[in-house]
Amino acid sequence: MRVQQIRNIGSLEDNKPVSANDWETVKKSGDASIKKWIDDNMDGRTCVVVLIGEETASRPWVKYEIEKAWKDGRGLLGIHIHSLNCPNNGKGSMGASPFTGLKFTDSDGKVKTIPCKNPSVNNAYNDIKDNLEKWIEEAIALRA
């Protein structure tokens, strides 16, 4: 439910997010199909936003997405979503960063830290809505 809230913000013009239903369908087709689906969905994107929930860091395909995004020169941004209010479960617990343990270096060999935003506990939805575009631009600039 928290991810759907972010998908529905609509603050990024002409940037249709991937569908949760598409993911459920493609998962059934095996690893090669999953990689192709991820690759296809990243095509033409300048930044990959990782929505960090309680279990994101342990998801098997999240690491692949992150490493591919960096290798392909895309910006990377993490946003913790535990403070969003889920109608079914309320607020969640903060999940671990899926970037921990991964090394990101630029073309000059300088180590880069991927930004992970932790929106306001009191107004997470509006904090994300009001800042998402700016955060993405910052993440893209980190790659320059």
Side-chain angles (χ1 to χ4, degrees):
M1 294 292 285
R2 291 181 187 93
V3 170
Q4 282 306 119
Q5 288 178 54
I6 303 303
R7 285 187 170 138
N8 293 332
I9 283 177
S11 69
L12 299 176
E13 189 175 324
D14 199 32
N15 192 7
K16 180 184 170 280
V18 297
S19 161
N21 292 335
D22 290 346
W23 171 245
E24 293 304 320
T25 301
V26 80
K27 273 195 326 187
K28 297 174 186 172
S29 300
D31 289 358
S33 292
I34 293 170
K35 281 185 180 182
K36 180 180 178 343
W37 183 81
I38 290 169
D39 295 352
D40 289 349
N41 276 285
M42 282 191 187
D43 189 43
R45 311 284 178 164
T46 54
C47 187
V48 171
V49 178
V50 180
L51 301 177
I52 306 170
E54 292 177 36
E55 300 175 18
T56 303
S58 67
R59 300 280 188 215
W61 289 103
V62 171
K63 182 177 178 183
Y64 173 78
E65 290 174 306
I66 290 168
E67 290 176 337
K68 175 164 181 46
W70 190 262
K71 180 179 147 243
D72 291 350
R74 292 176 175 85
L76 273 170
L77 168 67
I79 301 175
H80 289 279
I81 59 172
H82 64 284
S83 292
L84 287 169
N85 194 37
C86 171
N88 299 328
N89 303 315
K91 293 183 180 179
S93 297
M94 187 173 189
S97 170
F99 305 111
T100 300
L102 300 176
K103 186 175 180 182
F104 302 95
T105 55
D106 66 13
S107 58
D108 295 329
K110 289 175 62 177
V111 175
K112 298 288 188 168
T113 301
I114 304 304
C116 284
K117 304 299 183 177
N118 190 10
S120 164
V121 157
N122 297 322
N123 198 2
Y125 180 85
N126 284 324
D127 194 11
I128 295 169
K129 181 176 178 266
D130 294 343
N131 292 293
L132 183 58
E133 198 165 348
K134 177 183 79 168
W135 293 342
I136 289 172
E137 291 301 321
E138 290 171 356
I140 292 168
L142 181 71
R143 291 309 312 260

